[in-house]
Amino acid sequence: MVQGPTPGVPDPTRGAAPRVAEDQRCLLETRFAEGEVTGLRRQVGEHAAAAGLDAGPADDFVLAVNEAMSNAVRHGGGGGVMRVWRNGELIAEISDEGPGFDVEARTSWAVPPRPSPTGGLGLWLASQVCDTMSIESGPDGTVVRVSARLPGR
């Protein structure tokens, strides 16, 4: 997992999003594939609103989750697993079983990355709109966690 800021460089990980505790109940946990991303995005938005996020922060959280799900579909084997829980923050974890990627090389951005035929801006964009983001990736898959602070925290 990549963590910690580089001076003068926007840090896409800005701290690690917490992991769900074993005894903590998820608000949403489901496998997904390409045709299910839109419906899940709506559900994440409903959970964000129910958790008390205002429209702007809720939309930002949904955008970050959507980008991670889209990457799982496009680069991680066609789908994955998404979990959403609340723990003083609203947290989403998106995992896939794809080939993984070099997190350090793909998330060390002094400026937004250049788009390419295979993408390029999704993780950067997600990192800009959520409060924390962490990425773990290896040959058995990728896990992206994003969080949004809840009002009054």
Side-chain angles (χ1 to χ4, degrees), residues 30-34 36-37 40 68-69 72-73 78-82 94-95:
T30 187
R31 295 195 69 75
F32 66 90
E34 183 174 8
E36 299 162 309
V37 171
L40 285 173
M69 285 193 301
V73 168
V81 175
M82 180 183 55
I94 300 87
S95 60

Side-chain angles (χ1 to χ4, degrees), residues 84-131:
V84 177
W85 68 95
R86 183 178 172 169
N87 181 16
E89 302 177 286
L90 191 61
I91 303 152
E93 177 182 272
I94 300 87
S95 60
D96 66 51
E97 296 176 354
F101 65 97
D102 182 348
V103 175
E104 183 101 20
R106 300 281 291 168
T107 60
S108 299
W109 305 303
V111 295
R114 291 192 125 144
S116 72
T118 60
L121 286 173
L123 289 176
W124 178 83
L125 181 61
S127 76
Q128 301 303 299
V129 299
C130 60
D131 289 317

Side-chain angles (χ1 to χ4, degrees), residues 9-147:
V9 176
D11 181 11
T13 61
R14 288 195 309 253
R19 295 175 188 258
V20 66
E22 288 298 318
D23 62 345
Q24 195 169 27
R25 184 179 153 268
C26 289
L27 301 172
L28 175 63
E29 182 170 14
T30 187
R31 295 195 69 75
F32 66 90
E34 183 174 8
E36 299 162 309
V37 171
T38 300
L40 285 173
R41 188 174 55 230
R42 277 191 221 109
Q43 288 182 44
V44 170
E46 291 167 3
H47 284 292
L53 287 177
D54 291 333
D59 289 346
D60 288 346
F61 182 76
V62 171
L63 174 63
V65 171
N66 182 71
E67 290 299 333
M69 285 193 301
S70 296
N71 276 357
V73 168
R74 188 170 189 185
H75 306 291
V81 175
M82 180 183 55
R83 299 189 302 162
V84 177
W85 68 95
R86 183 178 172 169
N87 181 16
E89 302 177 286
L90 191 61
I91 303 152
E93 177 182 272
I94 300 87
S95 60
D96 66 51
E97 296 176 354
F101 65 97
D102 182 348
V103 175
E104 183 101 20
R106 300 281 291 168
T107 60
S108 299
W109 305 303
V111 295
R114 291 192 125 144
S116 72
T118 60
L121 286 173
L123 289 176
W124 178 83
L125 181 61
S127 76
Q128 301 303 299
V129 299
C130 60
D131 289 317
T132 64
M133 178 178 184
S134 65
I135 305 168
E136 300 171 28
S137 192
D140 296 327
T142 299
V143 178
V144 176
R145 285 182 206 88
V146 297
S147 73

